[in-house]
């Protein structure tokens, strides 16, 4: 695929693990040369943000995506690499209950 959006068009669930909020903004909303991923997500799909960011920041970034009919989950994986590999990490998830349940 040439772009992230080319992949997103084919997916019902997208998981993004991007810590840098400026980069996430560019991925979601694009720039003057190209529109972003948020414009190509299918209504009824699910976007899971795995980045660690303040709740208000996540809400403002992902609110637009949710208004397009895409379920949005703010999820953070808590645990060291070894914990994740053992399947023992914790996931803190927020969002509308139906989106969290789907995730």
């Amino acid at each position: 695929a040439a772009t992230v959006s080319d992949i997103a068009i084919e997916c019902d669930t997208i998981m993004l693990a991007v810590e840098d909020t400026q980069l996430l903004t560019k991925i979601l909303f694009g720039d003057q040369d190209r529109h972003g991923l948020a414009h190509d997500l299918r209504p009824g799909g699910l976007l899971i943000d795995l980045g660690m960011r303040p709740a208000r920041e996540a809400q403002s970034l992902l609110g637009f995506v949710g208004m397009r009919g895409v379920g949005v989950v703010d999820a953070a994986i808590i645990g060291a690499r070894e914990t994740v590999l053992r399947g023992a990490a914790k996931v803190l998830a927020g969002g509308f209950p139906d989106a969290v349940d789907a995730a």
Side-chain angles (χ1 to χ4, degrees), residues 34-95:
R34 183 178 301 250
H35 68 269
L37 174 67
H39 299 280
D40 292 325
L41 294 172
R42 296 182 202 177
L46 184 63
L47 176 68
I48 303 169
D49 175 22
L50 298 169
M52 293 281 290
R53 67 192 91 257
R56 286 183 188 256
E57 193 173 285
Q59 290 169 353
S60 67
L61 282 174
L62 301 175
F64 175 77
V65 178
M67 290 181 359
R68 294 179 54 82
V70 175
V72 178
V73 175
D74 178 18
I77 299 173
I78 308 300
R81 183 178 186 275
E82 297 76 26
T83 307
V84 172
L85 292 173
R86 284 196 324 267
K90 294 182 181 189
V91 178
L92 304 177

Side-chain angles (χ1 to χ4, degrees), residues 1 3 9 13 19-20 24 28 30 32-33 45 50-51 56 61 63 65 76-77 85 88 96 99:
T3 69
I9 296 169
T13 300
E19 294 298 328
D20 182 320
L24 179 62
L28 287 175
Q32 67 229 24
D33 298 324
L50 298 169
R56 286 183 188 256
L61 282 174
V65 178
I77 299 173
L85 292 173
F96 287 110

